[in-house]
Amino acid sequence: MLMSVVQQPSATGEYIIFRQRRGVELALTLAACTFGLVGWVVSYLNLRGSLPPELIPGTIIWFALALGAHAIVRWRIPYADPVILPVVFLLNGLGLAMIARLDLAKNAHAATNQIIWTGLGIALFAAVVFWLRDHRRLQRFPYLLFLGGLLMLILPLVPLVGRELNGARIWIGVGPFSFQPAEVAKILLALAFAAYFYEKRDLLALAGRRFIGLEFPRARDLGPIAVMWLLSLAIMVFQNDLGTALLFFGLFTFMIYVATQRPAWPILAGIAFVIAGLLAYNFTNHVPRRVNSWLNPFSDYDGNYQIIQAQFGFAWGGLFGRGWGQGSPWLTPMNESDFIAASLAEEIGIVGLMAIVLMYGFIVARGMKTALTCPDGFGKLLAGGLAFTFAVQVFSIIGGITRLLPLTGLTTPFMSQGGSSLIANWMIIGILMVISHRARMPQRATATPQELLTPAQSTAVIAK
């Protein structure tokens, strides 16, 4: 049983108290870390016939990171969801194992950089958990958060700072390193959307006019957030980063629908998406190529070589895969970044890939459960929006690789090589777990959002 109601004296009333489940989280986290470690060791045995020379220090570092993340959760947010952290370590570990396996084939050292980025991501996760004890403090700055998000999006367009890669100008240079500011903007815009829609929810839902059978809010209520949202999309389109633009479009639609409960928004969003897709197909060079590689990849073997090799990898792996170190995933271009899911599918099979998709489903489901149980509206919107971003991102990239959808250029969260996405997603997990802690910590059974207990008050209830 995940929850129990504790009867307190009449002066305090009834409190709903969830079990902390930190011991369960620790056991699941250690088991999850073992999967990635085993994948690394088995790959080395199959390719080199010996154990990795860095096995002991690598194992110590990996499990130390996991224990450190668990310790900060146990200390600062003991009522946080016990499932999210183990699932994230499972995905992160499998990604590290595959990158290390590809390093063996290409004589590269990408896995070393990836473990450094993982450590930095976990450090920022810990910083979020330590500093953000109460997520409600973020709802006071919607416009400031939006300006910060727009600044992040504009940075790649600044001369001498921005860098163009594969036709998209979405990177900035920081010494020898590059960083994708849109990953940070994704967090800032989600916070801004949630704060604004929570503040204006009644006006957006109740005040407005009816047109062609649909209810629309007043321009002065929707205008500020709509202008900033459109600016964000325009910048993304100008940078040729249509995948991130799609992510922001879906996030805005999801949040305004949840805030207002008006079916007009998904309907209008669907119509706008079709119109935008037709315009992009007819007036850009990038989108028609993606559609062609989706519908008829073998019509241009050289131009669609990437997606073709991914399909060969799926076929070679079959249902259960060739085994760690037994396939040829390095033949697919961008095998450690955009197409890492195809690399994994070749060696652990379609069944293994579906298991990975299921793990992402756990993150989305636990995020949505957090949104449902969170007692304050801002937390509901924010948790639901962040969970939705994972759903859209995974659906887009896995769908693109398997040719269910055209390719979008998004990363596979926690698995793809690269620090920008990894760091941002670890920070998102930190925010989600803070919200889940607030949702599961002891509260009065009949409390209103204004009467929610502070962490100190909840500690006093637990002591009683």
Side-chain angles (χ1 to χ4, degrees):
M1 185 173 173
L2 292 178
M3 135 180 129
S4 59
V5 178
V6 178
Q7 295 289 341
Q8 297 293 335
S10 58
T12 56
E14 289 185 353
Y15 292 89
I16 298 177
I17 301 179
F18 288 79
R19 295 183 181 181
Q20 295 182 2
R21 301 289 190 181
R22 299 277 66 84
V24 173
E25 179 188 78
L26 176 60
L28 289 175
T29 300
L30 294 176
C33 290
T34 303
F35 276 89
L37 180 65
V38 169
W40 176 43
V41 171
V42 171
S43 296
Y44 218 98
L45 287 172
N46 285 332
L47 290 170
R48 299 290 173 85
S50 62
L51 293 173
E54 309 88 356
L55 176 60
I56 294 178
T59 302
I60 292 173
I61 291 172
W62 179 231
F63 279 91
L65 290 173
L67 292 174
H70 169 75
I72 192 71
V73 170
R74 181 182 287 268
W75 173 39
R76 299 294 288 183
I77 49 173
Y79 280 93
D81 190 290
V83 177
I84 295 177
L85 191 66
V87 172
V88 171
F89 269 102
L90 175 62
L91 295 170
N92 203 157
L94 289 175
L96 279 167
M98 178 49 65
I99 293 171
R101 180 263 178 274
L102 292 167
D103 283 350
L104 292 174
K106 300 186 293 184
N107 195 25
H109 304 282
T112 302
N113 292 332
Q114 189 72 355
I115 193 67
I116 293 173
W117 285 116
T118 299
L120 183 56
I122 293 173
L124 291 176
F125 162 84
V128 169
V129 169
F130 182 84
W131 173 73
L132 191 64
R133 289 293 299 277
D134 189 348
H135 62 277
R136 291 174 294 178
R137 67 174 66 176
L138 296 173
Q139 74 184 69
R140 295 175 292 177
F141 314 106
Y143 296 106
L144 186 61
L145 290 167
F146 235 118
L147 290 175
L150 288 176
L151 178 62
M152 289 290 103
L153 294 177
I154 292 172
L155 278 178
L157 300 178
V158 177
L160 304 179
V161 176
R163 294 179 180 177
E164 184 172 332
L165 182 63
N166 296 325
R169 192 177 179 86
I170 58 176
W171 301 87
I172 61 172
V174 183
F177 301 100
S178 58
F179 189 79
Q180 191 173 348
E183 294 292 341
V184 178
K186 176 174 64 177
I187 303 174
L188 295 175
L189 293 179
L191 291 168
F193 287 152
Y196 187 89
F197 288 141
Y198 176 67
E199 179 184 350
K200 303 288 186 179
R201 63 193 184 282
D202 293 333
L203 293 174
L204 292 172
L206 302 176
R209 295 182 178 181
R210 179 178 291 272
F211 179 69
I212 60 173
L214 301 175
E215 294 281 350
F216 292 90
R218 296 177 302 184
R220 66 173 178 267
D221 298 324
L222 183 63
I225 197 78
V227 169
M228 295 182 182
W229 170 63
L230 290 171
L231 283 174
S232 303
L233 291 183
I235 293 170
M236 290 290 94
V237 172
F238 186 75
Q239 294 173 346
N240 207 17
D241 187 9
L242 299 182
T244 306
L246 173 64
L247 188 64
F248 290 165
F249 180 85
L251 178 63
F252 180 89
T253 304
F254 173 84
M255 282 197 170
I256 196 171
Y257 173 69
V258 171
T260 64
Q261 297 297 304
R262 287 186 171 181
W265 294 112
I267 295 172
L268 291 174
I271 295 172
F273 178 78
V274 172
I275 294 173
L278 291 174
L279 291 174
Y281 183 82
N282 287 286
F283 295 101
T284 66
N285 296 323
H286 184 63
V287 173
R289 288 199 300 268
R290 292 292 177 92
V291 173
N292 178 67
S293 67
W294 168 43
L295 297 177
N296 193 16
F298 290 95
S299 63
D300 184 359
Y301 190 87
D302 293 332
N304 301 328
Y305 181 75
Q306 190 176 31
I307 191 68
I308 291 172
Q309 287 300 106
Q311 306 310 300
F312 285 154
F314 282 122
W316 178 238
L319 280 178
F320 302 104
R322 309 303 301 177
W324 283 100
Q326 299 296 303
S328 305
W330 66 88
L331 296 178
T332 301
M334 303 184 74
N335 42 58
E336 74 287 344
S337 53
D338 289 11
F339 278 74
I340 193 169
S343 300
L344 283 160
E346 184 172 340
E347 301 215 327
I348 64 176
I350 298 297
V351 172
L353 181 61
M354 291 303 100
I356 289 173
V357 172
L358 184 62
M359 292 301 103
Y360 285 114
F362 271 119
I363 296 177
V364 175
R366 303 304 286 198
M368 292 299 180
K369 181 179 179 181
T370 296
L372 289 172
T373 56
C374 187
D376 68 282
F378 172 70
K380 288 180 181 294
L381 279 173
L382 183 55
L386 293 177
F388 182 77
T389 60
F390 276 112
V392 171
Q393 192 165 345
V394 173
F395 178 71
S396 298
I397 186 61
I398 301 296
I401 292 171
T402 57
R403 286 185 57 221
L404 177 66
L405 304 168
L407 281 171
T408 58
L410 295 172
T411 60
T412 309
F414 302 109
M415 302 183 74
S416 294
Q417 181 189 0
S420 308
S421 175
L422 191 58
I423 288 173
N425 287 320
W426 268 109
M427 293 175 69
I428 290 175
I429 291 299
I431 297 172
L432 266 179
M433 293 192 68
V434 167
I435 300 173
S436 72
H437 169 70
R438 291 293 302 173
R440 291 163 51 88
M441 69 193 302
Q443 303 291 347
R444 292 186 182 91
T446 58
T448 65
Q450 291 74 26
E451 298 171 339
L452 298 182
L453 302 184
T454 65
Q457 290 171 330
S458 294
T459 303
V461 170
I462 297 169
K464 293 178 181 179

